[in-house]
mmCIF file of all heavy atoms in Angstrom:
data_model
loop_
_atom_site.group_PDB
_atom_site.id
_atom_site.type_symbol
_atom_site.label_atom_id
_atom_site.label_comp_id
_atom_site.label_asym_id
_atom_site.label_seq_id
_atom_site.Cartn_x
_atom_site.Cartn_y
_atom_site.Cartn_z
ATOM 1 N N ALA A 57 10.590 3.442 9.587
ATOM 2 C CA ALA A 57 10.273 4.863 9.456
ATOM 3 C C ALA A 57 9.178 5.161 8.428
ATOM 4 O O ALA A 57 8.480 6.165 8.546
ATOM 5 C CB ALA A 57 11.539 5.643 9.106
ATOM 6 N N ASN A 58 9.017 4.314 7.420
ATOM 7 C CA ASN A 58 8.020 4.567 6.362
ATOM 8 C C ASN A 58 7.852 3.308 5.514
ATOM 9 O O ASN A 58 8.578 2.331 5.691
ATOM 10 C CB ASN A 58 8.446 5.768 5.485
ATOM 11 C CG ASN A 58 9.848 5.587 4.935
ATOM 12 O OD1 ASN A 58 10.105 4.668 4.159
ATOM 13 N ND2 ASN A 58 10.774 6.441 5.360
ATOM 14 N N GLY A 59 6.927 3.382 4.564
ATOM 15 C CA GLY A 59 6.632 2.214 3.739
ATOM 16 C C GLY A 59 7.754 1.884 2.762
ATOM 17 O O GLY A 59 8.030 0.702 2.489
ATOM 18 N N LEU A 60 8.394 2.919 2.216
ATOM 19 C CA LEU A 60 9.508 2.666 1.303
ATOM 20 C C LEU A 60 10.610 1.887 2.017
ATOM 21 O O LEU A 60 11.141 0.910 1.482
ATOM 22 C CB LEU A 60 10.046 3.995 0.747
ATOM 23 C CG LEU A 60 11.332 3.911 -0.086
ATOM 24 C CD1 LEU A 60 11.159 3.019 -1.306
ATOM 25 C CD2 LEU A 60 11.780 5.312 -0.530
ATOM 26 N N ASP A 61 10.947 2.292 3.228
ATOM 27 C CA ASP A 61 11.980 1.582 3.989
ATOM 28 C C ASP A 61 11.561 0.145 4.291
ATOM 29 O O ASP A 61 12.401 -0.759 4.317
ATOM 30 C CB ASP A 61 12.276 2.301 5.316
ATOM 31 C CG ASP A 61 13.181 3.517 5.134
ATOM 32 O OD1 ASP A 61 13.531 3.834 3.978
ATOM 33 O OD2 ASP A 61 13.530 4.153 6.147
ATOM 34 N N ALA A 62 10.275 -0.067 4.529
ATOM 35 C CA ALA A 62 9.803 -1.427 4.819
ATOM 36 C C ALA A 62 10.163 -2.353 3.655
ATOM 37 O O ALA A 62 10.653 -3.475 3.854
ATOM 38 C CB ALA A 62 8.300 -1.429 5.065
ATOM 39 N N LEU A 63 9.949 -1.880 2.423
ATOM 40 C CA LEU A 63 10.255 -2.691 1.239
ATOM 41 C C LEU A 63 11.759 -2.775 1.012
ATOM 42 O O LEU A 63 12.312 -3.855 0.763
ATOM 43 C CB LEU A 63 9.573 -2.090 0.006
ATOM 44 C CG LEU A 63 8.035 -1.999 0.043
ATOM 45 C CD1 LEU A 63 7.522 -1.152 -1.120
ATOM 46 C CD2 LEU A 63 7.409 -3.390 0.014
ATOM 47 N N THR A 88 2.604 0.121 -10.624
ATOM 48 C CA THR A 88 2.646 0.404 -9.196
ATOM 49 C C THR A 88 3.092 1.836 -8.920
ATOM 50 O O THR A 88 3.516 2.567 -9.820
ATOM 51 C CB THR A 88 3.589 -0.574 -8.472
ATOM 52 O OG1 THR A 88 3.465 -0.367 -7.055
ATOM 53 C CG2 THR A 88 5.037 -0.357 -8.888
ATOM 54 N N TYR A 89 3.008 2.226 -7.657
ATOM 55 C CA TYR A 89 3.580 3.492 -7.207
ATOM 56 C C TYR A 89 5.105 3.361 -7.240
ATOM 57 O O TYR A 89 5.645 2.280 -7.017
ATOM 58 C CB TYR A 89 3.079 3.800 -5.780
ATOM 59 C CG TYR A 89 3.644 5.075 -5.219
ATOM 60 C CD1 TYR A 89 3.459 6.284 -5.890
ATOM 61 C CD2 TYR A 89 4.371 5.076 -4.035
ATOM 62 C CE1 TYR A 89 3.997 7.459 -5.383
ATOM 63 C CE2 TYR A 89 4.905 6.256 -3.523
ATOM 64 C CZ TYR A 89 4.716 7.434 -4.208
ATOM 65 O OH TYR A 89 5.246 8.593 -3.705
ATOM 66 N N ILE A 90 5.784 4.467 -7.506
ATOM 67 C CA ILE A 90 7.233 4.437 -7.738
ATOM 68 C C ILE A 90 8.034 3.801 -6.595
ATOM 69 O O ILE A 90 9.090 3.219 -6.812
ATOM 70 C CB ILE A 90 7.747 5.871 -8.026
ATOM 71 C CG1 ILE A 90 9.190 5.874 -8.558
ATOM 72 C CG2 ILE A 90 7.664 6.756 -6.795
ATOM 73 C CD1 ILE A 90 9.305 6.193 -9.991
ATOM 74 N N ALA A 91 7.507 3.869 -5.366
ATOM 75 C CA ALA A 91 8.246 3.351 -4.203
ATOM 76 C C ALA A 91 8.615 1.877 -4.383
ATOM 77 O O ALA A 91 9.705 1.450 -3.979
ATOM 78 C CB ALA A 91 7.425 3.531 -2.929
ATOM 79 N N THR A 92 7.712 1.102 -4.973
ATOM 80 C CA THR A 92 7.955 -0.328 -5.135
ATOM 81 C C THR A 92 9.219 -0.554 -5.964
ATOM 82 O O THR A 92 10.049 -1.414 -5.662
ATOM 83 C CB THR A 92 6.745 -1.007 -5.822
ATOM 84 O OG1 THR A 92 5.543 -0.389 -5.389
ATOM 85 C CG2 THR A 92 6.698 -2.483 -5.509
ATOM 86 N N LEU A 93 9.360 0.248 -7.014
ATOM 87 C CA LEU A 93 10.507 0.134 -7.905
ATOM 88 C C LEU A 93 11.785 0.644 -7.234
ATOM 89 O O LEU A 93 12.855 0.057 -7.387
ATOM 90 C CB LEU A 93 10.233 0.977 -9.161
ATOM 91 C CG LEU A 93 10.540 0.288 -10.458
ATOM 92 C CD1 LEU A 93 9.556 -0.835 -10.649
ATOM 93 C CD2 LEU A 93 10.442 1.272 -11.609
ATOM 94 N N VAL A 134 1.716 -6.102 -5.606
ATOM 95 C CA VAL A 134 1.192 -4.907 -4.922
ATOM 96 C C VAL A 134 -0.316 -5.078 -4.792
ATOM 97 O O VAL A 134 -0.972 -5.427 -5.776
ATOM 98 C CB VAL A 134 1.501 -3.644 -5.756
ATOM 99 C CG1 VAL A 134 1.010 -2.384 -5.042
ATOM 100 C CG2 VAL A 134 2.993 -3.551 -6.054
ATOM 101 N N HIS A 135 -0.859 -4.870 -3.602
ATOM 102 C CA HIS A 135 -2.323 -4.933 -3.437
ATOM 103 C C HIS A 135 -2.883 -3.557 -3.793
ATOM 104 O O HIS A 135 -3.298 -2.783 -2.919
ATOM 105 C CB HIS A 135 -2.699 -5.339 -2.014
ATOM 106 C CG HIS A 135 -1.999 -6.580 -1.540
ATOM 107 N ND1 HIS A 135 -1.928 -7.729 -2.303
ATOM 108 C CD2 HIS A 135 -1.332 -6.867 -0.393
ATOM 109 C CE1 HIS A 135 -1.255 -8.664 -1.624
ATOM 110 N NE2 HIS A 135 -0.881 -8.159 -0.476
ATOM 111 N N LEU A 136 -2.875 -3.262 -5.094
ATOM 112 C CA LEU A 136 -3.114 -1.888 -5.516
ATOM 113 C C LEU A 136 -4.549 -1.448 -5.266
ATOM 114 O O LEU A 136 -5.490 -2.197 -5.502
ATOM 115 C CB LEU A 136 -2.756 -1.726 -7.002
ATOM 116 C CG LEU A 136 -2.495 -0.273 -7.420
ATOM 117 C CD1 LEU A 136 -1.220 0.290 -6.798
ATOM 118 C CD2 LEU A 136 -2.436 -0.130 -8.932
ATOM 119 N N TYR A 137 -4.677 -0.230 -4.802
ATOM 120 C CA TYR A 137 -5.956 0.428 -4.496
ATOM 121 C C TYR A 137 -6.707 -0.272 -3.355
ATOM 122 O O TYR A 137 -7.862 0.045 -3.091
ATOM 123 C CB TYR A 137 -6.864 0.511 -5.741
ATOM 124 C CG TYR A 137 -6.227 1.141 -6.960
ATOM 125 C CD1 TYR A 137 -6.590 0.747 -8.251
ATOM 126 C CD2 TYR A 137 -5.263 2.148 -6.836
ATOM 127 C CE1 TYR A 137 -6.010 1.335 -9.374
ATOM 128 C CE2 TYR A 137 -4.680 2.735 -7.948
ATOM 129 C CZ TYR A 137 -5.056 2.318 -9.220
ATOM 130 O OH TYR A 137 -4.490 2.907 -10.333
ATOM 131 N N ASP A 160 3.792 -5.827 -1.383
ATOM 132 C CA ASP A 160 3.678 -4.398 -1.106
ATOM 133 C C ASP A 160 2.243 -4.179 -0.655
ATOM 134 O O ASP A 160 1.326 -4.091 -1.470
ATOM 135 C CB ASP A 160 4.005 -3.562 -2.342
ATOM 136 C CG ASP A 160 3.916 -2.052 -2.058
ATOM 137 O OD1 ASP A 160 3.282 -1.679 -1.049
ATOM 138 O OD2 ASP A 160 4.468 -1.257 -2.848
ATOM 139 N N ALA A 161 2.077 -4.127 0.674
ATOM 140 C CA ALA A 161 0.739 -4.054 1.262
ATOM 141 C C ALA A 161 0.409 -2.637 1.733
ATOM 142 O O ALA A 161 -0.483 -2.445 2.564
ATOM 143 C CB ALA A 161 0.625 -5.048 2.414
ATOM 144 N N ALA A 162 1.107 -1.642 1.158
ATOM 145 C CA ALA A 162 0.944 -0.251 1.603
ATOM 146 C C ALA A 162 -0.480 0.261 1.429
ATOM 147 O O ALA A 162 -0.880 1.218 2.086
ATOM 148 C CB ALA A 162 1.911 0.653 0.834
ATOM 149 N N GLN A 163 -1.245 -0.372 0.526
ATOM 150 C CA GLN A 163 -2.626 0.074 0.306
ATOM 151 C C GLN A 163 -3.635 -0.987 0.745
ATOM 152 O O GLN A 163 -4.828 -0.817 0.509
ATOM 153 C CB GLN A 163 -2.823 0.410 -1.182
ATOM 154 C CG GLN A 163 -1.851 1.483 -1.674
ATOM 155 C CD GLN A 163 -2.127 1.953 -3.093
ATOM 156 O OE1 GLN A 163 -3.063 1.507 -3.748
ATOM 157 N NE2 GLN A 163 -1.302 2.883 -3.575
ATOM 158 N N GLY A 164 -3.156 -2.061 1.383
ATOM 159 C CA GLY A 164 -4.030 -3.221 1.585
ATOM 160 C C GLY A 164 -4.328 -3.626 3.017
ATOM 161 O O GLY A 164 -4.769 -4.754 3.241
ATOM 162 N N GLY A 182 5.522 -5.415 3.194
ATOM 163 C CA GLY A 182 5.834 -4.050 3.617
ATOM 164 C C GLY A 182 4.558 -3.231 3.691
ATOM 165 O O GLY A 182 3.754 -3.249 2.755
ATOM 166 N N PHE A 183 4.372 -2.539 4.820
ATOM 167 C CA PHE A 183 3.211 -1.660 5.005
ATOM 168 C C PHE A 183 3.671 -0.212 5.152
ATOM 169 O O PHE A 183 4.727 0.055 5.720
ATOM 170 C CB PHE A 183 2.441 -2.038 6.285
ATOM 171 C CG PHE A 183 1.624 -3.293 6.157
ATOM 172 C CD1 PHE A 183 2.168 -4.525 6.501
ATOM 173 C CD2 PHE A 183 0.316 -3.241 5.710
ATOM 174 C CE1 PHE A 183 1.419 -5.694 6.393
ATOM 175 C CE2 PHE A 183 -0.446 -4.405 5.598
ATOM 176 C CZ PHE A 183 0.102 -5.631 5.941
ATOM 177 N N SER A 184 2.849 0.700 4.668
ATOM 178 C CA SER A 184 3.041 2.127 4.928
ATOM 179 C C SER A 184 1.925 2.601 5.840
ATOM 180 O O SER A 184 0.781 2.173 5.691
ATOM 181 C CB SER A 184 2.970 2.916 3.615
ATOM 182 O OG SER A 184 2.819 4.308 3.883
ATOM 183 N N PHE A 185 2.276 3.467 6.794
ATOM 184 C CA PHE A 185 1.248 4.122 7.615
ATOM 185 C C PHE A 185 1.265 5.623 7.387
ATOM 186 O O PHE A 185 1.016 6.409 8.302
ATOM 187 C CB PHE A 185 1.454 3.781 9.107
ATOM 188 C CG PHE A 185 1.564 2.305 9.394
ATOM 189 C CD1 PHE A 185 2.700 1.791 10.011
ATOM 190 C CD2 PHE A 185 0.545 1.431 9.053
ATOM 191 C CE1 PHE A 185 2.819 0.428 10.274
ATOM 192 C CE2 PHE A 185 0.645 0.066 9.309
ATOM 193 C CZ PHE A 185 1.790 -0.431 9.925
ATOM 194 N N TYR A 186 1.610 6.017 6.175
ATOM 195 C CA TYR A 186 1.493 7.417 5.729
ATOM 196 C C TYR A 186 0.077 7.890 6.102
ATOM 197 O O TYR A 186 -0.867 7.089 6.058
ATOM 198 C CB TYR A 186 1.719 7.409 4.210
ATOM 199 C CG TYR A 186 1.625 8.740 3.513
ATOM 200 C CD1 TYR A 186 2.694 9.633 3.536
ATOM 201 C CD2 TYR A 186 0.476 9.090 2.811
ATOM 202 C CE1 TYR A 186 2.608 10.840 2.877
ATOM 203 C CE2 TYR A 186 0.385 10.302 2.145
ATOM 204 C CZ TYR A 186 1.456 11.180 2.193
ATOM 205 O OH TYR A 186 1.368 12.382 1.534
ATOM 206 N N PRO A 187 -0.092 9.167 6.497
ATOM 207 C CA PRO A 187 -1.390 9.587 7.061
ATOM 208 C C PRO A 187 -2.625 9.245 6.224
ATOM 209 O O PRO A 187 -3.677 8.938 6.783
ATOM 210 C CB PRO A 187 -1.218 11.107 7.195
ATOM 211 C CG PRO A 187 0.249 11.303 7.377
ATOM 212 C CD PRO A 187 0.918 10.241 6.561
ATOM 213 N N LYS A 189 -3.104 6.645 4.247
ATOM 214 C CA LYS A 189 -3.345 5.207 4.018
ATOM 215 C C LYS A 189 -4.493 4.733 4.913
ATOM 216 O O LYS A 189 -4.887 5.416 5.852
ATOM 217 C CB LYS A 189 -2.067 4.407 4.307
ATOM 218 C CG LYS A 189 -0.883 4.822 3.415
ATOM 219 C CD LYS A 189 -1.001 4.283 1.995
ATOM 220 C CE LYS A 189 -0.213 5.091 0.998
ATOM 221 N NZ LYS A 189 1.122 4.620 0.706
ATOM 222 N N GLY A 195 1.979 11.201 10.823
ATOM 223 C CA GLY A 195 3.314 11.502 10.303
ATOM 224 C C GLY A 195 3.739 10.275 9.524
ATOM 225 O O GLY A 195 2.905 9.446 9.164
ATOM 226 N N ASP A 196 5.048 10.131 9.275
ATOM 227 C CA ASP A 196 5.536 8.961 8.542
ATOM 228 C C ASP A 196 5.696 7.752 9.454
ATOM 229 O O ASP A 196 6.120 7.894 10.608
ATOM 230 C CB ASP A 196 6.903 9.275 7.919
ATOM 231 C CG ASP A 196 6.776 9.906 6.543
ATOM 232 O OD1 ASP A 196 5.968 9.400 5.744
ATOM 233 O OD2 ASP A 196 7.494 10.887 6.269
ATOM 234 N N ALA A 197 5.384 6.587 8.932
ATOM 235 C CA ALA A 197 5.635 5.332 9.647
ATOM 236 C C ALA A 197 5.427 4.174 8.682
ATOM 237 O O ALA A 197 4.747 4.325 7.662
ATOM 238 C CB ALA A 197 4.701 5.177 10.853
ATOM 239 N N GLY A 198 6.025 3.031 8.999
ATOM 240 C CA GLY A 198 5.852 1.840 8.178
ATOM 241 C C GLY A 198 6.191 0.603 8.996
ATOM 242 O O GLY A 198 6.619 0.711 10.148
ATOM 243 N N HIS A 286 -8.873 1.282 -0.477
ATOM 244 C CA HIS A 286 -8.003 2.438 -0.205
ATOM 245 C C HIS A 286 -8.362 3.554 -1.179
ATOM 246 O O HIS A 286 -8.448 4.723 -0.799
ATOM 247 C CB HIS A 286 -6.534 2.032 -0.355
ATOM 248 C CG HIS A 286 -5.604 3.190 -0.267
ATOM 249 N ND1 HIS A 286 -5.587 4.054 0.808
ATOM 250 C CD2 HIS A 286 -4.680 3.669 -1.146
ATOM 251 C CE1 HIS A 286 -4.678 4.999 0.599
ATOM 252 N NE2 HIS A 286 -4.132 4.788 -0.576
ATOM 253 N N LEU A 287 -8.598 3.161 -2.426
ATOM 254 C CA LEU A 287 -9.021 4.124 -3.445
ATOM 255 C C LEU A 287 -10.158 3.513 -4.258
ATOM 256 O O LEU A 287 -10.184 2.306 -4.480
ATOM 257 C CB LEU A 287 -7.847 4.442 -4.390
ATOM 258 C CG LEU A 287 -6.622 5.096 -3.753
ATOM 259 C CD1 LEU A 287 -5.459 5.120 -4.736
ATOM 260 C CD2 LEU A 287 -6.940 6.520 -3.291
ATOM 261 N N TYR A 313 -2.004 6.711 -10.935
ATOM 262 C CA TYR A 313 -1.048 7.802 -10.902
ATOM 263 C C TYR A 313 -0.959 8.368 -12.305
ATOM 264 O O TYR A 313 -1.227 7.642 -13.272
ATOM 265 C CB TYR A 313 0.298 7.265 -10.429
ATOM 266 C CG TYR A 313 0.159 6.669 -9.039
ATOM 267 C CD1 TYR A 313 -0.142 5.317 -8.870
ATOM 268 C CD2 TYR A 313 0.260 7.473 -7.904
ATOM 269 C CE1 TYR A 313 -0.328 4.782 -7.598
ATOM 270 C CE2 TYR A 313 0.089 6.930 -6.634
ATOM 271 C CZ TYR A 313 -0.216 5.585 -6.496
ATOM 272 O OH TYR A 313 -0.420 5.066 -5.240
HETATM 273 C C1 LIG B 1 2.427 4.694 -0.038
HETATM 274 C C2 LIG B 1 3.018 3.577 -0.782
HETATM 275 C C3 LIG B 1 4.351 3.183 -0.581
HETATM 276 C C4 LIG B 1 5.348 3.960 0.220
HETATM 277 O O1 LIG B 1 4.985 4.290 1.518
HETATM 278 P P1 LIG B 1 5.631 5.573 2.228
HETATM 279 O O2 LIG B 1 5.209 5.401 3.654
HETATM 280 O O3 LIG B 1 5.078 6.790 1.586
HETATM 281 O O4 LIG B 1 7.112 5.478 2.080
HETATM 282 C C5 LIG B 1 4.807 2.049 -1.243
HETATM 283 N N1 LIG B 1 4.023 1.368 -2.079
HETATM 284 C C6 LIG B 1 2.745 1.732 -2.325
HETATM 285 C C7 LIG B 1 1.920 0.914 -3.264
HETATM 286 C C8 LIG B 1 2.206 2.861 -1.702
HETATM 287 O O5 LIG B 1 0.944 3.218 -1.966
#
Side-chain angles (χ1 to χ4, degrees):
N58 54 64
L60 172 60
D61 281 3
L63 299 169
T88 187
Y89 179 57
I90 192 107
T92 324
L93 226 68
V134 182
H135 309 312
L136 200 68
Y137 307 149
D160 181 342
Q163 302 187 1
F183 285 92
S184 165
F185 308 122
Y186 179 80
K189 300 284 157 94
D196 272 315
H286 173 55
L287 298 170
Y313 300 91

